[in-house]
Amino acid sequence: MTAAVFFGCAFIAFGPALALYIFTIVTEPLRIIFLIIGAFFWLVSLLFSSLIWFTTATLIGNKDEPREKYLLIFGVLISVLIQEMFRFAYYKLLKKASEGLKTINPYEKAPSMRLLAYVSGLGFGIMSGVFSFVNTLSDSLGPGTVGIHGDPPQFFLYSAFMTLVITLLHVFWGIVFFDGCEKKKWYTLLVVLLSHLLVSALTLISPHYGLNLVLAYIIMVLMGVWAFFVSGGSCRSLKLCLLCQDKDFLLFNQRAR
Amino acid sequence: MVASTSASLRIDSRKFHGYELPAPGAPGHRDGARVGLEKPLPEKVGIEASAQLRGKMATAGGGCVADPGSRSLLRLLSFCVLLAGLCEGNSVERKIYIPLNKTAPCVRLLNATHQIGCQSSITGDTGVIHVVEKEEDLQWVLTGGPNPPYVVLLEGTLFTRDVMEKLKGRSGRIAGLAVSLAKPSPASGFSPSVQCPNDGFGVYSNSYGSQFAHCRAFQWNKVGDGLAYEDFSFPIFLLEDENETNVIKQCYRDHNLSPNGSAPAFPLCAMQLFSHMHAVVSTVTCMRRSLIQSSFSISPEIVCDPLSDYNVWSLLKPINTSGTLEPDDRVVVAATRLDSRSFFWNVAPGAESAVASFVTQLAAAEALQKAPDAATLPRNVMFVFFQGETFDYIGSSRMVYDMENGKFPVQLENIDSFVELGQVALRNSLELWMHTDPMSQKNETVLNQVEVLLSTLEQSGAGVPTVVLRRLNQSQPLPPSSLQRFLRARNVSGVVLADHSDSFHNLYYQSIYDTAENINVTYPAGQSPEEDLNFVTDTAKALAGVATVLARALYRLAGGASFNDTIQADPHTVTRLLYGFLVRANNSWFQSILRPDLRSYLGDGPLQHYIAVSSPTNATYVVQYALANLTGKVIDLTREQCQDPSQVPTENKDLYEYTWVQGPLNANETDRLPRCVRSTARLARALSPAFELKQWGSTEYSTWTESRWKDIRARIFLIASKELEFITLIVGFGILVFSLIVTYCINAKADVLFITPREPGSVSY
């Protein structure tokens, strides 16, 4: 669909992730490293889930239509489970690493676990978004648009918005998940897993893109609100921020230290 | 979009097995000491203190802190994009494009002064499809339609000069043309060739036989409109498969039609044609550019190749090919042409213009070889099949050139007489006309020799009731034939046998419609391919009659007398050859006569007889091996001996050609019984002397070349309106800018928004 659609969809899907990256990650190299490691963990989880899917597919043998579909659903669910498992594994790794970081760099304040939660979530989100969308994006460069076989022509836009939602969801899930692990609130992990399963399952009802997208955005807003409160935000701080009364607040905050 | 993740998993995971992430750039290489170098901390407290602590290290390394991580991520992203882009036929691409696989392009050919054919842009020409089934539909394309450029899907019957002139004039609104094959063939004929074929390269010119030059007497190819010799600036493709044409028409009906002439709504069905040609202007230019490239470049980009292939020739009595014949050895030459062409590349069924003639000559060669005293005839007989005659006599001009320079075993002075087969399949009431050259007969000796030749032919024809030989009443020029090139060099006595007395009877001369139906080669329905192979059609019987006349005439001309009436061409041979060349090449007989490694050259359809640039072509090989099988002998040698007979004392590589062929299937149909065939059938190079002499602007020899190209394909898809694309871009920008602003604000106010819980004694947990 030509360069205009390519850039438009690329900015829609990766714009917020790029903005987050530019303003929060790029400034400190340690955060970049943790971002990359998070992305790598997501990739390894994808590798494992694809290995499981592949062996299952080979074991099943002949593939007819309903079996293909069940195999796909199975693959998606396994992939979600393994992604969350790897998120937990990354949390454990970071816990261990924070000790080591303190010895390497005694003068520097090591990044807090909340920050690492955010960075890992963003790493997962960026990698997940890139993997799910780059394939489609490269096809949007050609002169044609989806539709000759009857698919809806807004395929690229839907894909771009869905990628955006998944990326942001991974960020929020990361924050909530790590907080749950820290405070040993295991139900939090369950909620994250279930909402991830729900969003993935929604994408399987592919013809009804609109419903799919709206539900995913609702879930994203809810998770976003939860993550905001978990990471230390509150209605009061939001009000203070929006009404630009933050300067007094800051001074107050520092004095208390 | 996890589902699409998993969908792309299916393809990507298989491609990504064993794929390693590129090393994340510098962070891995950085040692621990430099990790601490960062930009000053956002908190205002303690900045100066920490800066003083780090001191010089901060100023030294502060500049390139941000690079390694972001560089690695960018590299990762671009690698992913590249890899994703390389995934062929992935599911999203299949949602968008329908490739058209059974198409034939029109390519660019060049000669000394002109370029002909078609050209597309290097990124392919895209246009909205418009189906033109009658002439009125053209108005939408030329003036009315609101979404130019258009790709016109033209009915085969409308592919005429008038329509093409109109399309050529408005090339801004035409992106390309797709022609569908007309079934049945257009009744009034269709020939994209010129009305006077090979004009200027025959024997008649303004200085010799000017009343016959440039077809002043009459046009040989009356139906010809010369389209194949025009230059078009848009691509033209032939849609060979009716199913694909229907798919395109269905897409057109679903998306591009609008009620009562208003603009149809987007998305519209469009077609993209890729056929970018590298050569321009003329052979002189493209050969010069290729020469410069190959002299000065490490990886030269050759832009054009000369049309070349091989002539097939054989002798009745073997001669030593390492030397040349004595002047006293006389040879009777039987010649015909092997090739044809059409408007589209590599589509050249050539049934009447080439196949019928060379099949007849093959049958005549077989018949003559069977004569009992063939080995003891006073004069030798040479059967030659010229390749490239369609393009200004490439094969015959090269053979004459080689004969003049002693590079061919037979010389011009050895030629006693010359009998050529022109188009012979469409005879009216059994008449076969004998054309001779009036200009050379002005010489008394030649006149007498031609008279002897004609009377020999008539005597031979007397015994064959299915062929009536006729002389021409008035003096007429020779039709376009290889004899003309021989006459340019020397006054040989020659005759051209043809089914037409003046203009061609072939209404589809050198076109895509010159197929088996044109010469009435049809088979009853419901037979298996093997039954069809052996079914003797009426055309086969007629051509066998002509072959008999030819064989008997050659026997007499070679000096034979006793066994004249026993020489008979076999209609079974003729019908098998016709079936193989015109209907289905992959049959049991063709498979048994070829070498084992040429098995895949036989397809399920007919063979195409375009000369092409890579040699030898499939058809040339098949003709050579058919000639070897029909005139040669199976001898008892092993495979190694057959491939190198120099070790065997009784066999002589200079006299004969030895080939190891597949042979027929054995009784159980599991394996083949290969054997060694010894024959005199050989290949002789057919590359125009202009390229040997490097005279690329020659008017004496053929200078035809074919351009090179990288990518030829066609596909259809839907295109969206420009407004929708623009809106997508604007929305994307909007989201990007919005997210940048919001992130900046949140980041700036992060201390306020996200309060760190104050636990005594710990800064982070």
Side-chain angles (χ1 to χ4, degrees), chain B residues 436-482:
Chain B
T436 54
D437 171 43
M439 294 299 296
S440 62
Q441 287 180 74
K442 292 193 172 139
N443 180 329
E444 198 64 37
T445 7
V446 178
L447 183 65
N448 293 336
Q449 284 170 339
V450 170
E451 185 52 48
V452 167
L453 184 54
L454 291 179
S455 53
T456 316
L457 274 166
E458 281 166 340
Q459 281 171 5
S460 317
V464 183
T466 52
V467 177
V468 177
L469 285 159
R470 290 241 188 276
R471 297 190 190 208
L472 291 167
N473 324 0
Q474 65 274 17
S475 85
Q476 243 178 249
L478 276 178
S481 52
S482 319

Short mmCIF file of all heavy atoms in Angstrom, two decimals, chain B residues 436-482:
data_model
loop_
_atom_site.label_atom_id
_atom_site.label_comp_id
_atom_site.label_asym_id
_atom_site.label_seq_id
_atom_site.Cartn_x
_atom_site.Cartn_y
_atom_site.Cartn_z
N THR B 436 11.09 -20.54 -58.35
CA THR B 436 12.51 -20.40 -58.72
C THR B 436 12.85 -18.94 -58.83
O THR B 436 11.97 -18.08 -58.91
CB THR B 436 12.81 -21.08 -60.07
OG1 THR B 436 11.90 -20.54 -61.03
CG2 THR B 436 12.65 -22.57 -59.97
N ASP B 437 14.14 -18.65 -58.86
CA ASP B 437 14.58 -17.27 -58.88
C ASP B 437 14.74 -16.79 -60.32
O ASP B 437 15.51 -17.35 -61.09
CB ASP B 437 15.90 -17.15 -58.14
CG ASP B 437 16.52 -15.80 -58.31
OD1 ASP B 437 15.78 -14.79 -58.21
OD2 ASP B 437 17.73 -15.73 -58.55
N PRO B 438 14.03 -15.74 -60.72
CA PRO B 438 14.12 -15.28 -62.12
C PRO B 438 15.45 -14.60 -62.44
O PRO B 438 15.94 -14.69 -63.57
CB PRO B 438 12.96 -14.30 -62.23
CG PRO B 438 12.69 -13.85 -60.85
CD PRO B 438 13.05 -14.98 -59.95
N MET B 439 16.06 -13.95 -61.43
CA MET B 439 17.26 -13.17 -61.72
C MET B 439 18.43 -14.08 -62.07
O MET B 439 19.15 -13.82 -63.03
CB MET B 439 17.62 -12.30 -60.51
CG MET B 439 16.63 -11.23 -60.19
SD MET B 439 16.41 -10.06 -61.52
CE MET B 439 18.00 -9.32 -61.61
N SER B 440 18.61 -15.18 -61.31
CA SER B 440 19.77 -16.03 -61.60
C SER B 440 19.55 -16.80 -62.89
O SER B 440 20.50 -17.19 -63.57
CB SER B 440 20.02 -17.00 -60.45
OG SER B 440 18.91 -17.84 -60.29
N GLN B 441 18.29 -17.00 -63.27
CA GLN B 441 18.03 -17.76 -64.51
C GLN B 441 18.30 -16.96 -65.76
O GLN B 441 18.16 -17.48 -66.87
CB GLN B 441 16.60 -18.28 -64.51
CG GLN B 441 16.40 -19.42 -63.54
CD GLN B 441 15.00 -19.94 -63.54
OE1 GLN B 441 14.58 -20.63 -64.47
NE2 GLN B 441 14.24 -19.60 -62.52
N LYS B 442 18.68 -15.71 -65.60
CA LYS B 442 19.08 -14.95 -66.78
C LYS B 442 20.38 -15.51 -67.35
O LYS B 442 20.69 -15.31 -68.51
CB LYS B 442 19.27 -13.47 -66.40
CG LYS B 442 17.97 -12.83 -66.05
CD LYS B 442 18.05 -11.32 -65.99
CE LYS B 442 16.64 -10.77 -65.81
NZ LYS B 442 16.54 -9.69 -64.90
N ASN B 443 21.09 -16.24 -66.48
CA ASN B 443 22.31 -16.91 -66.94
C ASN B 443 21.90 -18.22 -67.58
O ASN B 443 21.10 -18.99 -67.05
CB ASN B 443 23.20 -17.14 -65.70
CG ASN B 443 24.50 -17.84 -66.01
OD1 ASN B 443 24.58 -18.65 -66.92
ND2 ASN B 443 25.52 -17.51 -65.24
N GLU B 444 22.44 -18.52 -68.76
CA GLU B 444 22.02 -19.67 -69.55
C GLU B 444 22.24 -21.00 -68.83
O GLU B 444 21.36 -21.87 -68.80
CB GLU B 444 22.81 -19.67 -70.88
CG GLU B 444 22.22 -20.52 -71.97
CD GLU B 444 20.86 -20.03 -72.43
OE1 GLU B 444 20.64 -18.80 -72.49
OE2 GLU B 444 20.02 -20.88 -72.71
N THR B 445 23.43 -21.17 -68.22
CA THR B 445 23.72 -22.45 -67.56
C THR B 445 22.76 -22.68 -66.41
O THR B 445 22.24 -23.78 -66.23
CB THR B 445 25.16 -22.45 -66.97
OG1 THR B 445 25.71 -21.16 -67.10
CG2 THR B 445 26.00 -23.51 -67.55
N VAL B 446 22.56 -21.59 -65.68
CA VAL B 446 21.68 -21.75 -64.52
C VAL B 446 20.28 -22.09 -64.99
O VAL B 446 19.59 -22.93 -64.41
CB VAL B 446 21.68 -20.47 -63.66
CG1 VAL B 446 20.73 -20.60 -62.50
CG2 VAL B 446 23.08 -20.18 -63.17
N LEU B 447 19.85 -21.45 -66.06
CA LEU B 447 18.51 -21.72 -66.58
C LEU B 447 18.36 -23.20 -66.92
O LEU B 447 17.35 -23.84 -66.57
CB LEU B 447 18.28 -20.85 -67.81
CG LEU B 447 16.91 -20.94 -68.46
CD1 LEU B 447 15.85 -20.41 -67.51
CD2 LEU B 447 16.88 -20.14 -69.75
N ASN B 448 19.36 -23.76 -67.56
CA ASN B 448 19.29 -25.18 -67.91
C ASN B 448 19.30 -26.05 -66.68
O ASN B 448 18.55 -27.04 -66.59
CB ASN B 448 20.47 -25.55 -68.81
CG ASN B 448 20.34 -24.86 -70.15
OD1 ASN B 448 19.24 -24.50 -70.56
ND2 ASN B 448 21.47 -24.67 -70.83
N GLN B 449 20.14 -25.70 -65.71
CA GLN B 449 20.19 -26.52 -64.50
C GLN B 449 18.85 -26.50 -63.78
O GLN B 449 18.36 -27.52 -63.29
CB GLN B 449 21.28 -25.99 -63.55
CG GLN B 449 22.67 -26.33 -63.98
CD GLN B 449 23.72 -25.59 -63.15
OE1 GLN B 449 23.42 -24.56 -62.53
NE2 GLN B 449 24.92 -26.09 -63.14
N VAL B 450 18.24 -25.30 -63.73
CA VAL B 450 16.95 -25.19 -63.04
C VAL B 450 15.91 -26.01 -63.80
O VAL B 450 15.05 -26.66 -63.21
CB VAL B 450 16.53 -23.73 -62.90
CG1 VAL B 450 15.11 -23.61 -62.42
CG2 VAL B 450 17.47 -23.01 -61.97
N GLU B 451 15.98 -26.00 -65.11
CA GLU B 451 15.03 -26.77 -65.92
C GLU B 451 15.17 -28.25 -65.60
O GLU B 451 14.16 -28.95 -65.43
CB GLU B 451 15.32 -26.49 -67.41
CG GLU B 451 14.34 -27.12 -68.34
CD GLU B 451 12.90 -26.79 -67.99
OE1 GLU B 451 12.61 -25.60 -67.76
OE2 GLU B 451 12.08 -27.72 -67.93
N VAL B 452 16.43 -28.73 -65.51
CA VAL B 452 16.66 -30.14 -65.16
C VAL B 452 16.07 -30.42 -63.79
O VAL B 452 15.40 -31.44 -63.56
CB VAL B 452 18.18 -30.44 -65.17
CG1 VAL B 452 18.47 -31.76 -64.52
CG2 VAL B 452 18.69 -30.39 -66.59
N LEU B 453 16.31 -29.49 -62.88
CA LEU B 453 15.81 -29.66 -61.51
C LEU B 453 14.30 -29.78 -61.49
O LEU B 453 13.72 -30.68 -60.87
CB LEU B 453 16.29 -28.44 -60.70
CG LEU B 453 16.01 -28.36 -59.22
CD1 LEU B 453 16.52 -29.59 -58.52
CD2 LEU B 453 16.70 -27.13 -58.65
N LEU B 454 13.64 -28.86 -62.20
CA LEU B 454 12.18 -28.88 -62.19
C LEU B 454 11.64 -30.15 -62.82
O LEU B 454 10.67 -30.74 -62.33
CB LEU B 454 11.64 -27.64 -62.91
CG LEU B 454 11.86 -26.30 -62.21
CD1 LEU B 454 11.31 -25.16 -63.04
CD2 LEU B 454 11.24 -26.30 -60.84
N SER B 455 12.26 -30.56 -63.90
CA SER B 455 11.72 -31.77 -64.54
C SER B 455 11.98 -33.00 -63.68
O SER B 455 11.16 -33.92 -63.64
CB SER B 455 12.31 -31.93 -65.93
OG SER B 455 13.71 -31.89 -65.86
N THR B 456 13.11 -33.03 -62.98
CA THR B 456 13.34 -34.16 -62.05
C THR B 456 12.26 -34.20 -61.00
O THR B 456 11.71 -35.27 -60.68
CB THR B 456 14.71 -34.02 -61.35
OG1 THR B 456 15.68 -33.64 -62.28
CG2 THR B 456 15.08 -35.31 -60.66
N LEU B 457 11.95 -33.04 -60.47
CA LEU B 457 10.90 -32.97 -59.46
C LEU B 457 9.58 -33.48 -60.03
O LEU B 457 8.86 -34.25 -59.40
CB LEU B 457 10.74 -31.55 -58.95
CG LEU B 457 11.67 -31.14 -57.80
CD1 LEU B 457 11.66 -29.64 -57.63
CD2 LEU B 457 11.21 -31.80 -56.52
N GLU B 458 9.26 -33.04 -61.24
CA GLU B 458 7.97 -33.44 -61.80
C GLU B 458 7.93 -34.94 -62.05
O GLU B 458 6.91 -35.60 -61.82
CB GLU B 458 7.71 -32.68 -63.10
CG GLU B 458 7.21 -31.27 -62.84
CD GLU B 458 7.28 -30.40 -64.07
OE1 GLU B 458 8.04 -30.70 -65.01
OE2 GLU B 458 6.57 -29.38 -64.08
N GLN B 459 9.06 -35.50 -62.48
CA GLN B 459 9.09 -36.95 -62.68
C GLN B 459 8.90 -37.68 -61.35
O GLN B 459 8.19 -38.68 -61.27
CB GLN B 459 10.44 -37.37 -63.26
CG GLN B 459 10.56 -37.12 -64.73
CD GLN B 459 12.00 -37.35 -65.18
OE1 GLN B 459 12.85 -37.76 -64.40
NE2 GLN B 459 12.25 -37.08 -66.43
N SER B 460 9.56 -37.16 -60.30
CA SER B 460 9.41 -37.82 -59.02
C SER B 460 7.99 -37.70 -58.51
O SER B 460 7.46 -38.60 -57.89
CB SER B 460 10.35 -37.20 -57.99
OG SER B 460 11.60 -36.99 -58.54
N GLY B 461 7.37 -36.55 -58.82
CA GLY B 461 6.01 -36.35 -58.34
C GLY B 461 4.99 -37.14 -59.10
O GLY B 461 3.87 -37.36 -58.61
N ALA B 462 5.37 -37.63 -60.25
CA ALA B 462 4.39 -38.36 -61.07
C ALA B 462 3.93 -39.62 -60.36
O ALA B 462 2.77 -40.00 -60.46
CB ALA B 462 5.01 -38.69 -62.41
N GLY B 463 4.81 -40.24 -59.63
CA GLY B 463 4.44 -41.49 -58.99
C GLY B 463 3.69 -41.34 -57.69
O GLY B 463 3.31 -42.30 -57.04
N VAL B 464 3.47 -40.08 -57.27
CA VAL B 464 2.78 -39.86 -56.00
C VAL B 464 1.46 -39.18 -56.29
O VAL B 464 1.41 -37.99 -56.63
CB VAL B 464 3.64 -38.98 -55.07
CG1 VAL B 464 2.97 -38.81 -53.72
CG2 VAL B 464 5.01 -39.59 -54.91
N PRO B 465 0.34 -39.90 -56.20
CA PRO B 465 -0.94 -39.31 -56.61
C PRO B 465 -1.43 -38.19 -55.69
O PRO B 465 -2.21 -37.35 -56.12
CB PRO B 465 -1.90 -40.51 -56.57
CG PRO B 465 -1.27 -41.50 -55.67
CD PRO B 465 0.20 -41.31 -55.76
N THR B 466 -0.97 -38.16 -54.44
CA THR B 466 -1.50 -37.15 -53.53
C THR B 466 -0.81 -35.80 -53.67
O THR B 466 -1.15 -34.85 -52.96
CB THR B 466 -1.34 -37.60 -52.07
OG1 THR B 466 0.01 -37.98 -51.87
CG2 THR B 466 -2.25 -38.77 -51.78
N VAL B 467 0.17 -35.69 -54.55
CA VAL B 467 0.88 -34.41 -54.72
C VAL B 467 0.90 -34.06 -56.19
O VAL B 467 1.30 -34.88 -57.02
CB VAL B 467 2.32 -34.50 -54.18
CG1 VAL B 467 3.06 -33.21 -54.43
CG2 VAL B 467 2.32 -34.84 -52.71
N VAL B 468 0.48 -32.86 -56.51
CA VAL B 468 0.50 -32.38 -57.90
C VAL B 468 1.47 -31.22 -57.96
O VAL B 468 1.21 -30.15 -57.39
CB VAL B 468 -0.91 -31.92 -58.33
CG1 VAL B 468 -0.86 -31.36 -59.73
CG2 VAL B 468 -1.89 -33.08 -58.22
N LEU B 469 2.58 -31.40 -58.66
CA LEU B 469 3.59 -30.34 -58.72
C LEU B 469 3.24 -29.37 -59.83
O LEU B 469 2.87 -29.78 -60.93
CB LEU B 469 4.97 -30.95 -58.97
CG LEU B 469 5.55 -31.64 -57.75
CD1 LEU B 469 6.61 -32.63 -58.14
CD2 LEU B 469 6.15 -30.60 -56.82
N ARG B 470 3.36 -28.12 -59.54
CA ARG B 470 3.02 -27.09 -60.53
C ARG B 470 4.16 -26.10 -60.67
O ARG B 470 4.76 -25.71 -59.68
CB ARG B 470 1.79 -26.32 -60.06
CG ARG B 470 0.53 -27.10 -60.09
CD ARG B 470 -0.46 -26.41 -61.04
NE ARG B 470 -1.77 -27.06 -60.95
CZ ARG B 470 -2.08 -28.14 -61.64
NH1 ARG B 470 -1.17 -28.70 -62.44
NH2 ARG B 470 -3.26 -28.68 -61.53
N ARG B 471 4.39 -25.67 -61.91
CA ARG B 471 5.34 -24.58 -62.14
C ARG B 471 4.58 -23.27 -62.11
O ARG B 471 3.37 -23.24 -62.25
CB ARG B 471 5.98 -24.73 -63.52
CG ARG B 471 6.78 -25.97 -63.67
CD ARG B 471 7.56 -25.88 -64.94
NE ARG B 471 8.17 -27.16 -65.23
CZ ARG B 471 9.30 -27.27 -65.92
NH1 ARG B 471 9.91 -26.19 -66.39
NH2 ARG B 471 9.81 -28.46 -66.16
N LEU B 472 5.33 -22.20 -61.93
CA LEU B 472 4.69 -20.88 -61.95
C LEU B 472 4.67 -20.34 -63.36
O LEU B 472 5.63 -20.48 -64.10
CB LEU B 472 5.48 -19.93 -61.05
CG LEU B 472 5.39 -20.26 -59.57
CD1 LEU B 472 6.44 -19.47 -58.80
CD2 LEU B 472 4.01 -19.92 -59.04
N ASN B 473 3.56 -19.66 -63.76
CA ASN B 473 3.45 -19.17 -65.13
C ASN B 473 4.39 -18.00 -65.37
O ASN B 473 5.21 -18.01 -66.26
CB ASN B 473 2.04 -18.70 -65.46
CG ASN B 473 1.00 -19.55 -64.79
OD1 ASN B 473 1.35 -20.49 -64.09
ND2 ASN B 473 -0.24 -19.23 -65.03
N GLN B 474 4.24 -16.97 -64.54
CA GLN B 474 5.02 -15.77 -64.82
C GLN B 474 6.24 -15.73 -63.93
O GLN B 474 6.35 -16.50 -62.98
CB GLN B 474 4.19 -14.50 -64.61
CG GLN B 474 3.76 -14.24 -63.20
CD GLN B 474 2.46 -14.96 -62.84
OE1 GLN B 474 2.05 -15.89 -63.54
NE2 GLN B 474 1.84 -14.55 -61.78
N SER B 475 7.14 -14.81 -64.23
CA SER B 475 8.35 -14.77 -63.42
C SER B 475 8.03 -14.00 -62.14
O SER B 475 7.55 -12.87 -62.16
CB SER B 475 9.49 -14.11 -64.19
OG SER B 475 9.45 -12.73 -64.08
N GLN B 476 8.25 -14.68 -61.05
CA GLN B 476 7.90 -14.17 -59.74
C GLN B 476 9.13 -14.25 -58.88
O GLN B 476 9.97 -15.14 -59.09
CB GLN B 476 6.87 -15.13 -59.13
CG GLN B 476 5.53 -14.52 -58.86
CD GLN B 476 4.61 -15.56 -58.30
OE1 GLN B 476 3.68 -15.97 -58.95
NE2 GLN B 476 4.90 -16.00 -57.11
N PRO B 477 9.26 -13.39 -57.87
CA PRO B 477 10.43 -13.51 -56.99
C PRO B 477 10.31 -14.78 -56.14
O PRO B 477 9.24 -15.36 -56.03
CB PRO B 477 10.34 -12.26 -56.11
CG PRO B 477 8.91 -11.89 -56.13
CD PRO B 477 8.39 -12.27 -57.46
N LEU B 478 11.41 -15.15 -55.54
CA LEU B 478 11.38 -16.27 -54.60
C LEU B 478 10.68 -15.81 -53.32
O LEU B 478 10.84 -14.67 -52.90
CB LEU B 478 12.80 -16.70 -54.23
CG LEU B 478 13.54 -17.65 -55.14
CD1 LEU B 478 14.93 -17.87 -54.57
CD2 LEU B 478 12.82 -18.97 -55.29
N PRO B 479 9.93 -16.69 -52.67
CA PRO B 479 9.41 -16.32 -51.36
C PRO B 479 10.59 -16.21 -50.38
O PRO B 479 11.70 -16.65 -50.70
CB PRO B 479 8.50 -17.50 -51.00
CG PRO B 479 8.96 -18.63 -51.83
CD PRO B 479 9.53 -18.05 -53.07
N PRO B 480 10.35 -15.63 -49.19
CA PRO B 480 11.45 -15.50 -48.22
C PRO B 480 11.96 -16.91 -47.87
O PRO B 480 11.22 -17.71 -47.32
CB PRO B 480 10.79 -14.85 -47.00
CG PRO B 480 9.52 -14.28 -47.49
CD PRO B 480 9.11 -15.02 -48.70
N SER B 481 13.19 -17.22 -48.23
CA SER B 481 13.71 -18.57 -48.05
C SER B 481 15.22 -18.52 -47.95
O SER B 481 15.85 -17.55 -48.37
CB SER B 481 13.31 -19.46 -49.23
OG SER B 481 13.68 -18.82 -50.43
N SER B 482 15.79 -19.60 -47.41
CA SER B 482 17.24 -19.66 -47.22
C SER B 482 17.97 -19.67 -48.55
O SER B 482 19.13 -19.27 -48.63
CB SER B 482 17.60 -20.92 -46.44
OG SER B 482 16.69 -21.14 -45.41
#
